Amino acid sequence: MLAYLIRRLALAAVTTWAITVVTFIILQLPPGDFVDAYVAQASALGTAISAAEATALRHAYGLDQSLWVQYFKWLNLVVHGQFGQSFEYGRPVTEVIGDRLWLTILLSIGAIIVTWGLALPIGIYSAVRQYSWGDTIFTFLGFVGLAVPNFLLALIVMYVGLRLLNMNVGGLFSADYQLAAWSWAKLWDLCKHLPVPILILALAGTAQLVRIMRANLLDELRRPYVVTARARGLSERRVILKYPVRAALNPFASTIGYLLPYTVSGSVIISVVLSLPTVGPLLLHSLLSQDMLLGSTIILMLGVLTVLGTLLSDLLLMWIDPRIRLGQLR
Amino acid sequence: MIVTDAESRVAVATQRQLIWWRFRKHRLALVSAVIVVGFYVIAIFADTLAYTEPFDTQAARSYIPPQPIHWFDADGHFHPTVYALKGRRDPRTFKLAYLPDPAEPRDLILFARGYEYRLLGLIPTEIHLLGVPDGRPQDALFLLGTDQMGRDVFSRLVLATRTSLSIGLVGVTLSLVLGVLLGGLSGLYGGWTDTVIQRVIEILRSIPTIPLWMGLAAAVPASWSPQQVYFAITLIISLIGWTELARVVRGRFLSLREEDFITAAELAGASRMRIIFKHMVPSFLSHIIAAVSLALPAMIISETTLSFLGLGLRPPAISWGVLLQDAQNLQTLGLAPWLLVVALPVIVVILAFNFLGDGLRDAADPYG
Amino acid sequence: MADPILQVRDLHTHFFADEGVVRAVDGVSFDLFPGRTLGIVGESGCGKSVTARSILRIVERPGRIVSGEILLRRQTGAVVDVARLPVDGPEVRAIRGGDIGLVFQEPMSALSAFHTIGNQLIEAVRLHARLNRKRARERAIELLAMAGIPRPADRIDAYSFELSGGLRQRVMIALALAGEPRVLIADEPTTALDVTTQAQILTLMRRLQQQRDLAVILITHDMGVIAEMADDVVVMYLGKEVEKGPVDAIFHAPRHPYTRSLLRSIPSVLARPRSRLATLSGSIPHPFARPGGCPFHPRCPDKLTGLCDTTVPAEVVIGEDHATACHLYTTQDAKVPA
């Protein structure tokens, strides 16, 4: 168990480090450094920045030194929670992001819960009633779910909502609450808006997980322990739910490792299409306007949060699998 | 011993025949293969299938709705025509509306003259599959309507198919090279090489890809030519898409290493390269083909998504994503819902690739 | 002899696949008595496991009992035809584990890796007896001790993968006996074990049989195990019983050419060194390509051309409780090999 734990922790640490490197590269990629961009932005707004000020800024970020030094200076700032200023908004990046990060997390976790909540029973049904009508329909829907890209589904839902239901499915808040401070009424308003984006976000993942659950359970259903459980006189329902489903649950649960990054990715796109106040539209906007400090911070945060989420789920998996707990599997 | 005909047939069939027999049983995969081939034919002859210059803009023709084809004339004879459109301004709202004018039917003919292009990039010609007799289709034919700038959606869709499908193909080729190289190294050498490559894959898979792509794509300079952007985007997509292929290749290498015929070849003194290319690669080629046809739709979705967000291909390039970008907001969708028609080929092609890949994967294990 | 506890009469279990019908069990009959062991022997695919599963009504789709009777005398004394009971009804479930226990071939995969042994054992105990948790756990520990597992009070909380193959098979036996059944079906119970462990498990089974007056059906392909354990033997080939009788008759006066070939293929310490071990020529036909007539005729050394390949032989009684289905014993003029 300890070996498993150490391995997971080490992997999470290395992944986090890799994310910082990638983020730093993205920050560096656009031509010129970001002080140039800042200066240009400021002068466009009419507040000229003197050459001395620019040099001071460059020095603060270590832009006059080698890339390695720059990276570590930047890393040092980031670790201390100093992500810098957004050029476009003229405010600290963290302030610009604000609630949006939490809404992103809420949306992603909601989608994962729905994904599992749907995929588990459908997968069990499809495996136990293999080749039945229900199984065929779910398999077909699953393929469609896989084939329709997230953003296209969002577009289609939006169009259908507009045309047939005459309602705007975009956004997470009604106009009244958009700028209001948090209150119970605002929370309720949020809850009313969440289901549509969560369902759209969950669909593709659900389609994948149903296939995984179905395949795993079909494998498990053929195992001798199912026959012996049946031969002991257990009812069919109890046999299936207690034994093969339990066994198939583990590979199913371990899919969180890629379900989470997949869902976070999807949330960005869906948020752009449905104009949800998550970090998605902000990221797109910042990238299009080359507000790199804001953009790279969002990428960094999404990446690190995903790694944390994966780590947590790995620990959970360790806890529910006796083979890992007792050191049989690593 | 009783051996049925079927059995003896199986016993002497080559690997390729076995795979084909199994694949043939998958009706859906077979149909999908036809669809995929059809789409690539469209991509190759895109200019011939298009009838209007895709960049031909005219404000006066903006947002013309799709135009129905009338297959039979009044006497019931087969005689495809389209009605010419007449723009009328609504006297109250001053909105320009295009209405078909049954008094002015235009013949729809095959192999008509249109804009000049090079067939297969070589032969200069101006013959297009569809057209009108007097050779000015841009004023008469709007099979799928027009966009805001008055460009013909059908012609643009056909050309977008070429871009999007080719980007998928190029992207998957790059991924394949990376995947086979790294997956092969990983499976062949094992040890720390394997560990390092596997960890890199694990790391790449645990990072949300879309924000990463967006970040990388945003760094493509605005001054680059469409061709440069095309390759940059393809590179970015394949940079992350290779992991799944590498996983498949490594898995096959690992299981093949244990096979008796590999051991036999080793004992017979065959060189490492000979074993890899003469014995191993042929026996997992089918798996690779299956993995590729499953990776292709992912590539196409990636390109479409990036372009849709405005971070991938940029106008004047035409791809499915670029076209969908026009359908991004509610106002446009309300005004010109036909712009969403681009969704159809995207979904069909991705479905077809998925079914095809599934069928191939099942068929790749002919003895299984 | 006492009344039989289980009578199987002309059982037919077929599998209805897309490619055709597989007649996995095609007319099997036998009687099973308390305290005695019936061995069912044959090559893999001969239908011996499907026979066992049919008795427990756990044949998986597309398989189904087509005809025949499975008459079980239950604990109450009432005789029921198991083949007629609804497949997942309460009565069948009470019979599974309660009247008939099953021990399975692979002890590795016949236990769930996600549940402790105690979890599975206590569940089985409480399914067939009304006991509270504490009593059921005590009973489970008793069962483990009875199956010869050292330190049962510790082992009850172990997972199956923490035990050796032999111990796992002992757990399987404890599980099969948890519902106090009077019939035990052991489907290749020792195949996956090494020789020493095999002997231990067989000894355990014999001891338990004597203690509890169990009626045992022992399914195996191993003639050695049959010789050691069985009182009566049924030899099966392609779903049909080709010969049955007391173990001595089968071993000392085998009649059917298939039985004889099986016996010849046992290595013997008395054999001349470097002599070739007899093997059966040919292989089992494809299940969809069953030969007509006697199913064994394509591999039979004594086949009567014109008869064996056209007519299915009927069963003939050739001694006390000894019968075989072979044309060699039905036609007057056929020369019977000595």
Side-chain angles (χ1 to χ4, degrees):
Chain A
M1 181 165 95
L2 199 63
Y4 178 86
L5 198 68
I6 291 172
R7 228 178 72 105
R8 292 289 132 180
L9 282 172
L11 191 69
V14 175
T15 311
T16 309
W17 171 76
I19 291 172
T20 64
V21 173
V22 172
T23 311
F24 183 70
I25 292 172
I26 289 173
L27 192 61
Q28 292 294 326
L29 270 179
D33 59 40
F34 51 84
V35 175
D36 287 337
Y38 187 34
V39 171
Q41 187 93 28
S43 68
L45 291 173
T47 51
I49 286 177
S50 68
E53 268 178 295
T55 316
L57 266 174
R58 280 210 173 79
H59 187 70
Y61 281 101
L63 295 185
D64 45 1
Q65 281 158 302
S66 77
L67 269 181
W68 278 111
V69 177
Q70 287 183 44
Y71 170 69
F72 284 110
K73 282 209 162 185
W74 172 79
L75 196 60
N76 188 39
L77 286 172
V78 163
V79 168
H80 290 96
Q82 293 175 7
F83 296 98
Q85 290 262 331
S86 158
F87 302 128
E88 200 170 357
Y89 295 86
R91 284 186 292 151
V93 163
T94 39
E95 210 176 280
V96 176
I97 294 174
D99 288 343
R100 285 169 175 263
L101 191 64
W102 301 113
L103 287 172
T104 309
I105 295 173
L106 185 69
L107 189 64
S108 302
I109 292 179
I112 284 175
I113 291 172
V114 171
T115 302
W116 272 348
L118 287 176
L120 193 64
I122 295 176
I124 294 174
Y125 172 86
S126 274
V128 174
R129 299 255 180 281
Q130 195 189 6
Y131 302 134
S132 68
W133 269 102
D135 177 32
T136 312
I137 290 168
F138 281 128
T139 306
F140 179 76
L141 284 180
F143 266 115
V144 174
L146 280 182
V148 183
N150 267 332
F151 74 94
L152 212 51
L153 186 68
L155 263 183
I156 293 168
V157 168
M158 206 163 69
Y159 177 68
V160 169
L162 184 75
R163 265 294 144 102
L164 302 182
L165 310 173
N166 204 16
M167 58 180 251
N168 185 358
V169 295
L172 280 182
F173 300 103
S174 311
D176 305 349
Y177 292 103
Q178 219 133 44
L179 297 170
W182 279 104
S183 63
W184 288 113
K186 183 171 178 174
L187 198 66
W188 174 237
D189 185 56
L190 176 66
C191 290
K192 280 191 293 188
H193 281 82
L194 271 175
V196 173
I198 282 184
L199 274 176
I200 296 174
L201 191 52
L203 185 78
T206 306
Q208 275 177 11
L209 285 207
V210 165
R211 290 178 75 184
I212 291 171
M213 185 65 197
R214 181 175 181 273
N216 283 333
L217 192 54
L218 280 176
D219 268 0
E220 294 295 336
L221 283 174
R222 290 192 204 103
R223 309 246 170 183
Y225 68 81
V226 180
V227 179
T228 48
R230 219 173 261 150
R232 262 176 260 150
L234 290 170
S235 69
E236 192 61 23
R237 171 183 288 262
R238 184 135 169 225
V239 167
I240 288 173
L241 290 184
K242 182 171 176 186
Y243 295 104
V245 166
R246 174 67 186 80
L249 219 49
N250 271 56
F252 183 74
S254 65
T255 53
I256 184 110
Y258 70 87
L259 183 64
L260 194 64
Y262 186 83
T263 307
V264 170
S265 275
S267 83
V268 171
I269 305 269
I270 287 181
S271 301
V272 170
V273 179
L274 296 179
S275 21
L276 308 182
T278 67
V279 292
L282 198 62
L283 173 63
L284 179 66
H285 191 76
S286 66
L287 291 175
L288 287 175
S289 60
Q290 302 267 309
D291 188 352
M292 293 317 277
L293 268 180
L294 179 57
S296 62
T297 304
I298 293 175
I299 293 173
L300 183 70
M301 283 180 168
L302 287 179
V304 171
L305 278 175
T306 307
V307 171
L308 280 180
T310 313
L311 184 67
L312 275 178
S313 61
D314 274 341
L315 296 184
L316 190 74
L317 190 66
M318 181 183 82
W319 181 62
I320 63 169
D321 191 335
R323 292 170 307 177
I324 296 177
R325 217 169 37 206
L326 297 170
Q328 281 279 311
L329 288 176
R330 278 197 302 136
Chain B
M1 178 178 163
I2 297 223
V3 177
T4 59
D5 278 358
E7 270 179 276
S8 56
R9 228 160 60 107
V10 168
V12 299
T14 63
Q15 173 107 357
R16 202 163 296 175
Q17 271 174 314
L18 284 171
I19 292 175
W20 169 238
W21 286 341
R22 268 179 73 123
F23 181 70
R24 221 169 34 180
K25 278 206 237 158
H26 281 261
R27 284 290 144 77
L28 206 52
L30 212 57
V31 172
S32 301
V34 173
I35 292 176
V36 166
V37 169
F39 264 97
Y40 275 97
V41 169
I42 292 178
I44 292 169
F45 296 104
D47 275 311
T48 316
L49 287 167
Y51 47 79
T52 304
E53 241 266 288
F55 305 108
D56 189 40
T57 65
Q58 197 173 322
R61 290 196 305 255
S62 118
Y63 290 142
I64 297 177
Q67 184 186 38
I69 299 177
H70 301 272
W71 296 100
F72 300 98
D73 62 17
D75 307 327
H77 297 296
F78 183 74
H79 184 180
T81 53
V82 291
Y83 294 150
L85 294 176
K86 246 193 192 132
R88 285 199 203 92
R89 209 166 276 283
D90 189 305
R92 279 169 305 163
T93 59
F94 293 104
K95 246 174 91 176
L96 196 61
Y98 288 91
L99 294 167
D101 184 1
E104 205 186 326
R106 305 286 296 267
D107 286 359
L108 190 64
I109 58 166
L110 291 178
F111 303 109
R113 280 183 192 287
Y115 69 96
E116 245 181 78
Y117 67 99
R118 282 168 184 274
L119 185 63
L120 302 177
L122 299 168
I123 312 152
T125 172
E126 47 187 48
I127 302 294
H128 295 264
L129 186 68
L130 292 174
V132 286
D134 62 8
R136 276 193 61 82
Q138 62 266 45
D139 297 331
L141 268 182
F142 311 98
L143 295 182
L144 291 178
T146 62
D147 64 7
Q148 192 193 2
M149 295 162 86
R151 295 173 297 199
D152 183 66
V153 173
F154 180 89
S155 301
R156 285 172 69 77
L157 184 57
V158 168
L159 281 150
T161 303
R162 169 148 79 197
T163 320
S164 290
L165 288 185
S166 76
I167 229 173
L169 219 51
V170 176
V172 107
T173 312
L174 283 174
S175 292
L176 190 61
V177 171
L178 272 172
V180 170
L181 202 71
L182 292 173
L185 280 177
S186 195
L188 201 60
Y189 289 102
W192 69 267
T193 319
D194 183 38
T195 312
V196 169
I197 293 174
Q198 288 313 304
R199 291 299 86 77
V200 170
I201 290 177
E202 246 175 279
I203 288 171
L204 277 176
R205 287 172 78 98
S206 61
I207 301 176
T209 46
I210 287 178
L212 200 60
W213 275 330
M214 286 168 69
L216 291 173
V220 175
S223 55
W224 281 15
S225 74
Q227 282 77 17
Q228 282 172 310
V229 175
Y230 177 99
F231 283 109
I233 295 298
T234 317
L235 196 68
I236 289 169
I237 292 170
S238 53
L239 221 53
I240 294 155
W242 62 273
T243 54
E244 180 60 25
L245 285 162
R247 213 183 51 77
V248 172
V249 171
R250 170 179 177 266
R252 298 312 304 170
F253 258 103
L254 284 182
S255 65
L256 276 174
R257 248 190 353 193
E258 310 298 321
E259 292 279 341
D260 289 343
F261 71 94
I262 299 296
T263 318
E266 264 166 26
L267 292 176
S271 74
R272 181 158 235 164
M273 282 296 129
R274 188 180 159 81
I275 290 176
I276 293 174
F277 287 104
K278 196 79 190 167
H279 298 285
M280 290 177 116
V281 171
S283 65
F284 67 67
L285 201 59
S286 47
H287 289 267
I288 298 218
I289 294 172
V292 161
S293 75
L294 289 173
L296 253 162
M299 297 276 162
I300 293 174
I301 292 182
S302 308
E303 181 278 319
T304 311
T305 305
L306 277 181
S307 304
F308 172 76
L309 290 176
L311 291 168
L313 302 185
R314 306 160 186 162
I318 312 169
S319 77
W320 286 338
V322 173
L323 291 190
L324 279 169
Q325 213 186 344
D326 292 341
Q328 205 178 55
N329 58 56
L330 271 178
Q331 290 88 333
T332 322
L333 276 184
L335 209 58
W338 58 87
L339 292 180
L340 215 57
V341 76
V342 186
L344 208 63
V346 178
I347 294 170
V348 169
V349 131
I350 292 166
L351 260 181
F353 268 120
N354 271 312
F355 285 135
L356 177 64
D358 247 32
L360 282 172
R361 191 168 48 188
D362 281 356
D365 265 321
Y367 299 102
Chain C
M1 207 182 289
D3 289 337
I5 187 166
L6 181 74
Q7 293 175 289
V8 174
R9 293 276 165 270
D10 199 26
L11 180 69
H12 292 260
T13 302
H14 296 179
F15 283 77
F16 299 88
D18 290 341
E19 296 90 338
V21 177
V22 177
R23 288 180 282 170
V25 178
D26 202 19
V28 169
S29 308
F30 56 79
D31 292 347
L32 184 68
F33 298 93
R36 287 177 73 87
T37 298
L38 173 82
I40 302 182
V41 70
E43 289 167 283
S44 52
C46 72
K48 47 194 199 302
S49 288
V50 178
T51 306
R53 290 181 185 212
S54 301
I55 294 170
L56 281 165
R57 298 299 302 279
I58 50 173
V59 178
E60 267 155 52
R61 279 181 307 172
R64 158 157 76 79
I65 296 179
V66 179
S67 64
E69 293 179 325
I70 300 165
L71 302 172
L72 174 74
R73 190 154 48 81
R74 299 205 54 190
Q75 316 258 33
T76 54
V79 174
V80 289
D81 182 357
V82 182
R84 297 263 175 289
L85 295 176
V87 77
D88 234 349
E91 194 164 8
V92 164
R93 293 210 308 268
I95 289 171
R96 291 178 192 154
D99 287 86
I100 310 173
L102 175 73
V103 176
F104 213 49
Q105 176 172 5
E106 300 158 62
M108 177 74 209
S109 47
L111 290 164
S112 165
F114 292 92
H115 302 89
T116 59
I117 285 157
N119 182 321
Q120 295 170 70
L121 201 48
I122 292 168
E123 176 188 56
V125 167
R126 293 188 71 188
L127 208 57
H128 297 286
R130 259 199 225 163
L131 293 176
N132 63 27
R133 271 188 181 283
K134 193 161 165 286
R135 271 297 299 142
R137 189 179 162 87
E138 286 164 13
R139 178 89 192 94
I141 295 174
E142 281 167 37
L143 281 164
L144 289 176
M146 176 208 74
I149 291 171
R151 293 188 292 115
D154 298 339
R155 289 282 163 67
I156 192 164
D157 293 318
Y159 287 91
S160 63
F161 53 78
E162 296 177 280
L163 302 181
S164 68
L167 282 187
R168 262 182 231 152
Q169 196 59 301
R170 287 174 190 270
V171 171
M172 280 306 299
I173 291 173
L175 260 173
L177 296 179
E180 304 284 342
R182 289 177 308 143
V183 177
L184 181 69
I185 301 179
D187 188 351
E188 305 265 10
T190 56
T191 307
L193 303 174
D194 62 80
V195 186
T196 329
T197 319
Q198 218 172 60
Q200 287 169 357
I201 293 291
L202 292 179
T203 312
L204 170 70
M205 282 178 58
R206 231 186 344 238
R207 196 187 57 183
L208 290 171
Q209 181 178 29
Q210 280 158 10
Q211 282 170 4
R212 306 174 159 239
D213 203 25
L214 279 174
V216 175
I217 299 179
L218 179 67
I219 293 167
T220 181
H221 64 276
D222 186 339
M223 285 305 250
V225 171
I226 291 285
E228 197 182 331
M229 298 286 292
D231 301 302
D232 305 289
V233 181
V234 174
V235 182
M236 286 183 70
Y237 186 78
L238 278 189
K240 289 188 180 296
E241 46 177 54
V242 292
E243 184 162 5
K244 67 181 172 191
V247 68
D248 285 344
I250 296 289
F251 273 81
H252 296 121
R255 297 296 172 159
H256 198 281
Y258 178 62
T259 316
R260 282 207 281 259
S261 318
L262 273 185
L263 286 168
R264 266 201 303 274
S265 64
I266 306 176
S268 165
V269 283
L270 302 174
R272 211 152 33 84
R274 311 220 183 285
S275 63
R276 260 186 108 79
L277 187 64
T279 52
L280 254 103
S281 60
S283 58
I284 303 171
H286 194 268
F288 294 121
R290 267 172 95 94
C294 172
F296 188 59
H297 84 264
R299 303 168 74 187
C300 184
D302 307 314
K303 81 165 165 229
L304 307 167
T305 314
L307 182 62
C308 289
D309 47 0
T310 55
T311 318
V312 181
E315 202 162 64
V316 272
V317 177
I318 42 176
E320 200 190 335
D321 294 329
H322 191 178
T324 184
C326 181
H327 286 302
L328 294 174
Y329 308 96
T330 52
T331 41
Q332 295 298 313
D333 52 333
K335 45 181 197 319
V336 176

